[in-house]
Amino acid sequence: MSKKLTLLAVSIASVISLGTSASTYAGISAEDLAKAIAKQEAEIAQLKQQLQTIAKEQAQQAESQKQIEVTQHQQQKAVSDVVTNVGAAEDRFSQFSFKSYGSANFTSDEYFDNVQDTTPERRNRFDLERIVTEFGYQFTEQWSMEVEIEYEHGGTGAALEYDGFDEFGEFESEIEAGGEVVVEKAEIRYRPSEAFGVKFGNIHLPIGLTSTLHKPNQYLTVLRHKSEAAMIPAVWNENGIGVYGEISDFHYQAQIVSGLNSEYFRTYDWVASGHQTRFEHVNADDLAFAGRIDYGNFKTGSAIGVSYYYGNTSGNRNKSNKLNVDGTLSIVTAAAAFVEGPWVLRGQYMYGTLSDSDAITLANKTTPGLQPGNFAQLGSKSQSFFVEAGFKLDDYLAIPMTVFANIDYSNPLMEVESGTATKRYENTWSSIGVNYFPIPEIVIKAEGGLQQVAVASIPDTNFFALGVGYQFSL
């Protein structure tokens, strides 16, 4: 471009010079002068054309530069939008959490066909005990939610409905498969500070250590502790609202929740079967209080704690006209854990009382559809305990392994309101075993032991169990 402008300037200068020369050399012929003028005019016209072409090219280059700048701006904006969207997506994903744990077991136990049988039969069984998925989302710093779904025994469950319009009232069931899918938790939490929070929905009750230590790596035995299962629902969850928090090393919880249904209280597991999981709706005519306070943290180490439950159970019966007493239930637990160095020591004692137990037993015997033969007695008092002790071999054998010993005891018929309590359901389980961690997220367990019934005519039985469990979080 600069070369063209230079040539043009030289040409113009030549024309001017020529004009000067023309006046100077007047002796040139008119014909030669006309030719020279025509030639210069042609050159001037050509130069004008070149100037127009150059101007056009400059305009085109300016337009192209403008388009390039617009395109670059659009590209920069697109990149910025992508970065912003990716950042927002990462922020949303960081607010989402997913956890899962599960276990599968092999058991070899000696069983009695019925309560009169004194000759046990050995049965070997496999069980996909449970697969649990937990979904969480942190809406803001204060608001969050968590949903926990448990798939038990590899199947879906059974639906049970109560037809109150039948002549006497009937319980109807529809069996689909052997296991069940259960929502074990569906809670929304508001926690403005460490010292105070509120949660509501379907929440875990803080009664018993199993509600706190229910993942395979959190207890030493292959199966969860039998002593708790003989008294209360496992990983007990109810609909309600609760407050919780942490002050220094103290952790507290207090809840108002739906109560149990005494129609399903059983001789062999006391009030555990009264958990309202059979029906599409949960009766809430009787509410209950549950509370707990711990010093330390059972999930991470050493701690001591107590819990308390209180509530009536008759108001939640579906056949409400069968019973006009309260059926008040109270449960207290005391637990401790010492987890230091290679040692793992845990223990719990649980004691409960049930008022009007004879009236509940009689009402259950005469309610159609409840199979009254299953209700021989119902304890007015019940107790259980467990003690487990483990020793980690990691530092001594360079093997991620823990050996343990365990004792579980339960007596759901500690006392009855009238008559003599049978000892048939007073059981003690003693065992030893090992936990092996090939990687931190997986545990392989083996356990062997002895079950003793507090009836002289019933022989002791032996049991053996193998299990594998996992847990992880994203």
Side-chain angles (χ1 to χ4, degrees):
M1 179 68 67
S2 61
K3 289 183 179 180
K4 291 182 178 180
L5 291 174
T6 302
L7 292 173
L8 182 61
V10 170
S11 300
I12 294 172
S14 300
V15 172
I16 296 172
S17 174
L18 182 60
T20 305
S21 299
S23 61
T24 305
Y25 300 102
I28 298 175
S29 66
E31 183 180 352
D32 291 339
L33 183 60
K35 290 180 179 181
I37 293 172
K39 180 180 178 181
Q40 291 300 320
E41 288 177 347
E43 290 178 354
I44 290 172
Q46 184 179 3
L47 290 174
K48 288 181 179 180
Q49 182 65 34
Q50 290 177 350
L51 283 173
Q52 292 176 353
T53 302
I54 291 171
K56 185 177 180 181
E57 289 177 354
Q58 288 178 334
Q60 290 176 346
Q61 287 178 351
E63 182 65 25
S64 298
Q65 183 64 31
K66 183 178 179 181
Q67 291 179 352
I68 290 172
E69 291 175 354
V70 170
T71 302
Q72 288 177 341
H73 177 72
Q74 292 174 342
Q75 290 175 343
Q76 291 174 352
K77 186 176 183 305
V79 171
S80 177
D81 291 343
V82 170
V83 171
T84 301
N85 292 335
V86 169
E90 289 178 347
D91 289 341
R92 288 193 297 270
F93 183 77
S94 67
Q95 293 172 299
F96 174 81
S97 65
F98 176 78
K99 303 177 183 178
S100 180
Y101 69 90
S103 57
N105 304 316
F106 166 80
T107 57
S108 179
D109 298 281
E110 292 181 284
Y111 290 89
F112 298 96
D113 285 341
N114 51 60
V115 293
Q116 289 80 32
D117 186 18
T118 58
T119 304
E121 175 189 2
R122 179 165 295 279
R123 298 299 302 271
N124 300 323
R125 297 176 177 175
F126 287 100
D127 181 20
L128 181 58
E129 186 180 23
R130 62 180 53 85
I131 299 293
V132 179
T133 55
E134 301 177 17
F135 305 89
Y137 193 79
Q138 191 76 34
F139 298 103
T140 66
E141 291 185 2
Q142 292 82 28
W143 287 95
S144 64
M145 68 167 294
E146 186 172 342
V147 176
E148 182 175 316
I149 302 174
E150 179 171 345
Y151 307 83
E152 294 184 348
H153 311 296
T156 56
L160 182 64
E161 296 182 355
Y162 178 75
D163 184 4
F165 293 96
D166 186 85
E167 183 178 358
F168 299 102
E170 293 290 340
F171 293 85
E172 302 173 351
S173 62
E174 181 179 343
I175 307 297
E176 297 178 359
E180 59 182 351
V181 178
V182 180
V183 176
E184 281 208 333
K185 181 194 294 184
E187 66 182 31
I188 294 176
R189 296 185 292 255
Y190 173 68
R191 192 171 190 180
S193 68
E194 288 292 318
F196 178 77
V198 181
K199 57 184 175 181
F200 48 91
N202 190 276
I203 59 180
H204 282 170
L205 270 64
I207 308 300
L209 274 184
T210 300
S211 289
T212 302
L213 306 176
H214 51 266
K215 298 180 180 180
N217 65 327
Q218 295 176 329
Y219 53 91
L220 298 175
T221 51
V222 173
L223 304 178
R224 291 171 177 170
H225 288 285
K226 298 179 176 67
S227 56
E228 276 200 21
M231 280 190 64
I232 63 174
V235 193
W236 195 348
N237 62 308
E238 297 284 1
N239 297 290
I241 185 170
V243 296
Y244 65 103
E246 177 181 350
I247 301 175
S248 187
D249 288 330
F250 287 92
H251 300 76
Y252 72 89
Q253 296 188 61
Q255 303 171 352
I256 300 296
V257 296
S258 52
L260 297 177
N261 178 355
S262 64
E263 279 170 328
Y264 290 92
F265 290 173
R266 297 291 191 269
T267 303
Y268 52 85
D269 64 359
W270 202 45
V271 301
S273 297
H275 192 203
Q276 297 189 68
T277 59
R278 296 171 175 81
F279 296 86
E280 294 179 355
H281 302 284
V282 173
N283 296 328
D285 295 286
D286 277 340
L287 301 178
F289 168 82
R292 184 179 189 94
I293 184 168
D294 295 332
Y295 178 75
N297 193 326
F298 281 99
K299 288 186 177 181
T300 59
S302 302
I304 57 174
V306 294
S307 65
Y308 180 68
Y309 176 94
Y310 181 87
N312 294 336
T313 62
S314 298
N316 291 332
R317 296 173 69 92
N318 293 286
K319 195 72 171 177
S320 57
N321 62 347
K322 296 294 295 184
L323 197 62
N324 59 0
V325 295
D326 292 332
T328 303
L329 172 66
S330 65
I331 302 170
V332 61
T333 74
F338 176 80
V339 183
E340 297 290 341
W343 290 102
V344 179
L345 303 174
R346 298 189 189 97
Q348 174 180 264
Y349 176 76
M350 181 178 295
Y351 173 81
T353 63
L354 176 66
S355 70
D356 311 304
S357 58
D358 280 356
I360 294 172
T361 300
L362 180 61
N364 290 348
K365 284 182 176 181
T366 58
T367 298
L370 284 182
Q371 299 177 351
N374 290 336
F375 307 93
Q377 287 181 308
L378 191 58
S380 60
K381 293 182 180 179
S382 177
Q383 68 174 347
S384 70
F385 72 83
F386 78 82
V387 177
E388 64 177 10
F391 187 81
K392 300 177 183 179
L393 303 178
D394 307 39
D395 295 336
Y396 299 91
L397 300 177
I399 299 175
M401 181 180 295
T402 301
V403 295
F404 72 90
N406 177 77
I407 296 177
D408 268 276
Y409 168 85
S410 71
N411 186 5
L413 289 171
M414 179 182 176
E415 288 186 16
V416 293
E417 278 189 342
S418 61
T420 302
T422 178
K423 299 293 185 180
R424 180 62 182 82
Y425 301 100
E426 184 178 353
N427 292 284
T428 302
W429 297 268
S430 306
S431 64
I432 58 174
V434 62
N435 289 188
Y436 171 63
F437 293 85
I439 59 175
E441 296 82 8
I442 294 177
V443 58
I444 300 172
K445 301 182 178 185
E447 180 184 10
L450 183 71
Q451 179 179 355
Q452 298 170 294
V453 181
V455 177
S457 61
I458 298 178
D460 297 342
T461 59
N462 298 298
F463 64 89
F464 176 74
L466 291 172
V468 59
Y470 77 90
Q471 62 282 323
F472 70 86
S473 61
L474 298 179

